[in-house]
């Protein structure tokens, strides 16, 4: 695990030693909620929202954006695992609100050339591989637009009608959460599953957290330990606790399955090209829901969930049939991990990730709390000396 290896392993050993009855937690979140927030290293979603293992699904990406991959995760969450409340929670002073395509390119050129690439080749590679960074142009406007995306899915009968959607904002300088009334008003269900849901509990826990925020307000937006972790949204998984991470240490990216999806790639590139990450730790887990689901089973669960929420069965079946989706199921845990690590190695070989960024593969055991390094994945993602002399290709076109 590079420069972080001993500290991460020691912290995980201590965590696993006191794992206790967490091994018996159900795979579905007990509080029937999902939280979407930013990968920002200064944020610990469990701490600021008062969440324990087992409570909630947590999705994280650059900017807390609602995009195709977040929707994939949220649909798996609401249609197959009983989630009835979604909290979309971006934060103030987000890096994605400060950048433009031009500033990202200049930062990327700096990071890639510092790692040994030639500037002219770097600029050609970046020009040949443009991507939508999903910048934030107006914090409230972006939040409202993202909540509206989910409301539209609910109106279309894809998200169950009894699912409520809340818009919150996390103040990175105080640790306090605030409710965006406009976003929450449009997001509340007309037939909510709960009369009084998780919002009061979250706000109360957040007040306690913010009261002891202290010098966290001075943390840098760049991860202190120059690393990013990719993990699953599973409620049983808390990457910060499992790896002993404090606010400020690491970017954390989470989705259904802990996959290196297109959106995870966007977030990883933002981390490595603009904020100095030099290690990427891909950490899926054992007994993942995405490893036992398939299209047929998702369809059955989705129809049952929609019918229970008041949708007519024929309508529910038609809606699911007319909205197919690549769920990024996990067929074989190790094979999927190796394939996801290979995606990042390909980006590095293509000159889009800096040559000195190492990629590591691990598995988190939900039954013991142990993080187990996968030697094949780590060997695959290691930075070989020969790569420093290899010219980047300008022709690889990742599917951003």
């Amino acid at each position: 695990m590079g420069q972080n290896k001993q500290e991460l392993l020691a912290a995980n050993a201590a965590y696993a030693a006191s794992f206790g009855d967490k091994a018996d937690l159900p795979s579905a979140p007990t509080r029937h909620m999902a939280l979407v927030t930013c990968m920002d290293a200064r944020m610990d979603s469990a701490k600021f929202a008062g969440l324990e293992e087992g409570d909630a699904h947590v999705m994280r990406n650059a900017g807390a954006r609602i995009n195709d991959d977040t929707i994939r995760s949220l649909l798996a969450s609401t249609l197959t695992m009983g989630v009835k409340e979604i909290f979309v929670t971006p934060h103030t002073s987000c890096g994605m609100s400060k950048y433009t395509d031009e500033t990202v390119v200049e930062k990327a050129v700096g990071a890639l050339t510092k790692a040994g690439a030639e500037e002219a080749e770097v600029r050609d590679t970046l020009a040949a591989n443009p991507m939508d960074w999903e910048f934030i142009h107006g914090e409230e406007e972006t939040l409202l637009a993202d909540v509206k995306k989910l409301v539209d899915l609910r109106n279309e009968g894809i998200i169950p009608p009894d699912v409520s959607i809340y818009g919150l904002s996390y103040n990175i300088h105080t640790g306090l959460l605030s409710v965006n009334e406009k976003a929450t008003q449009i997001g509340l269900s007309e037939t909510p599953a709960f009369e009084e849901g998780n919002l009061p509990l979250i706000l109360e826990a957040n007040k306690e957290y913010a009261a002891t925020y202290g010098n966290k307000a001075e943390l840098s937006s760049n991860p202190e330990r120059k690393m990013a972790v990719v993990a699953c949204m599973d409620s049983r998984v808390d990457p910060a606790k499992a790896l002993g991470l404090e606010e400020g240490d690491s970017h954390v990216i989470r989705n259904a399955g802990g996959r290196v999806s297109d959106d995870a790639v966007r977030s990883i590139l933002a981390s490595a090209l603009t904020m100095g990450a030099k290690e990427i730790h891909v950490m899926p887990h054992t007994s993942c829901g995405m490893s036992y689901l398939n299209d047929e089973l998702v369809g059955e669960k989705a129809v049952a969930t929609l019918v229970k929420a008041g949708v007519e069965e024929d309508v529910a079946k038609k809606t699911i049939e007319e909205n197919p989706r690549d769920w990024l199921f996990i067929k074989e845990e190790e094979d999927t991990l190796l394939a996801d690590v290979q995606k990042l190695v390909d980006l590095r070989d293509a000159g889009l990730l800096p040559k000195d960024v190492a990629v590591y593969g691990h598995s988190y055991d939900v039954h013991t709390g142990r993080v187990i390094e996968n030697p094949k994945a780590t060997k695959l993602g290691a930075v070989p000396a020969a790569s420093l002399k290899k010219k980047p290709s300008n022709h690889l076109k990742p599917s951003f």
Side-chain angles (χ1 to χ4, degrees):
M1 296 185 198
Q3 65 183 28
N4 292 299
K5 180 176 181 178
Q6 297 306 320
E7 290 181 7
L8 292 176
L9 288 179
N12 177 251
Y15 175 73
S18 59
F19 200 61
D21 60 3
K22 296 185 186 74
D24 301 320
L25 289 171
S27 57
T30 57
R31 288 173 60 176
H32 305 287
M33 62 171 282
L35 176 71
V36 181
T37 194
C38 187
M39 72 177 185
D40 197 295
R42 297 168 290 181
M43 302 170 70
D44 186 320
S45 53
K47 287 181 180 178
F48 75 65
L51 302 175
E52 299 292 340
E53 292 94 324
D55 282 348
H57 286 158
V58 178
M59 297 125 211
R60 300 182 65 174
N61 63 32
R65 298 310 308 274
I66 301 296
N67 51 38
D68 285 348
D69 196 52
T70 323
I71 289 169
R72 173 185 71 91
S73 298
L74 286 170
L75 290 182
S77 188
T78 56
L79 293 176
T80 74
M81 286 178 262
V83 161
K84 296 298 181 184
E85 295 185 325
I86 299 169
F87 295 85
V88 183
T89 312
H91 65 94
T92 60
S93 302
C94 183
M96 302 309 286
S97 68
K98 300 176 180 179
Y99 294 138
T100 64
D101 286 322
E102 291 75 18
T103 57
V104 167
V105 165
E106 293 311 310
K107 280 186 170 289
V109 168
L112 291 162
T113 55
K114 186 177 180 181
E118 296 293 332
E119 181 175 344
E121 292 178 338
V122 167
R123 291 190 181 276
D124 287 345
T125 299
L126 294 174
N129 293 278
M131 71 176 298
D132 181 0
W133 292 100
E134 299 188 46
F135 297 123
I136 296 171
H137 300 298
E139 292 177 6
E140 183 176 65
E141 291 83 355
T142 300
L143 174 58
L144 288 169
D146 278 349
V147 168
K148 184 66 164 52
K149 288 181 185 178
L150 299 178
V151 172
D152 289 345
L153 288 171
R154 190 177 63 197
N155 291 339
E156 294 165 15
I158 300 172
I159 287 178
D162 59 350
V163 172
S164 285
I165 303 151
Y166 299 86
L168 308 179
S169 178
Y170 177 79
N171 189 315
I172 207 74
H173 304 295
T174 66
L176 278 170
L177 285 170
S178 59
V179 179
N180 185 292
E181 298 295 345
K182 291 181 182 178
T184 296
Q185 184 176 7
I186 66 172
L188 287 176
S189 168
E190 294 181 359
T191 57
F194 308 121
E195 289 186 11
E196 184 172 329
N198 287 285
L199 183 60
L201 298 175
I202 290 172
L203 294 178
E204 184 60 33
N206 175 253
K207 285 182 182 178
E208 295 180 10
Y209 172 74
T212 60
Y213 199 62
N215 62 3
K216 295 185 183 76
E218 308 303 322
L219 289 171
S220 169
S221 59
N222 293 348
E224 176 67 24
R225 294 171 68 171
K226 300 184 184 303
M227 60 181 281
V229 176
V230 182
C232 185
M233 71 178 185
D234 196 294
S235 59
R236 298 168 292 179
V237 179
D238 187 328
K241 287 182 181 177
L243 296 172
L245 302 174
E246 298 293 338
E247 292 95 323
D249 280 349
S250 174
H251 288 148
V252 179
I253 300 155
R254 301 182 65 178
N255 60 37
R259 301 303 308 276
V260 178
S261 60
D262 289 350
D263 184 51
V265 167
R266 175 185 71 91
S267 299
I268 288 166
L269 290 180
S271 178
L273 294 177
T274 72
M275 288 175 269
K278 295 298 181 185
E279 296 180 3
I280 312 298
H281 298 265
V282 184
M283 191 182 75
H285 64 91
T286 60
S287 302
C288 183
M290 302 309 287
S291 68
Y292 70 77
L293 289 171
N294 54 46
D295 286 321
E296 183 178 357
L297 188 54
V298 167
E300 292 174 356
K301 284 179 172 287
V303 169
T305 298
L306 290 167
V307 169
K308 187 176 180 180
V311 180
E312 292 184 6
E313 185 172 354
D314 289 347
V315 174
K317 286 182 177 180
K318 184 178 180 181
T319 299
I320 297 303
E321 289 172 359
E322 292 180 348
N323 291 277
R325 183 170 296 274
D326 183 359
W327 295 98
L328 300 184
F329 296 125
I330 298 171
K331 294 181 179 179
E332 296 290 340
E333 291 180 6
E334 184 177 66
D335 290 347
T336 300
L337 174 60
L338 290 171
D340 278 350
V341 169
Q342 183 66 53
K343 287 183 184 179
L344 298 179
V345 172
D346 289 345
L347 289 170
R348 191 176 64 196
D349 290 344
L352 292 167
L353 264 183
K355 296 178 182 180
D356 56 354
V357 171
V359 185
Y360 301 91
H362 318 283
S363 177
Y364 175 78
D365 188 343
V366 294
H367 305 296
T368 65
R370 290 184 60 213
V371 173
I372 303 164
E373 185 176 10
N374 184 295
K376 291 181 183 178
T378 294
K379 182 178 180 181
L380 178 65
V383 179
S387 72
L388 298 178
K389 299 178 181 178
K390 186 176 180 179
K391 291 185 178 181
S393 168
N394 294 328
H395 305 294
L396 181 68
K397 187 80 170 179
S399 56
F400 291 135

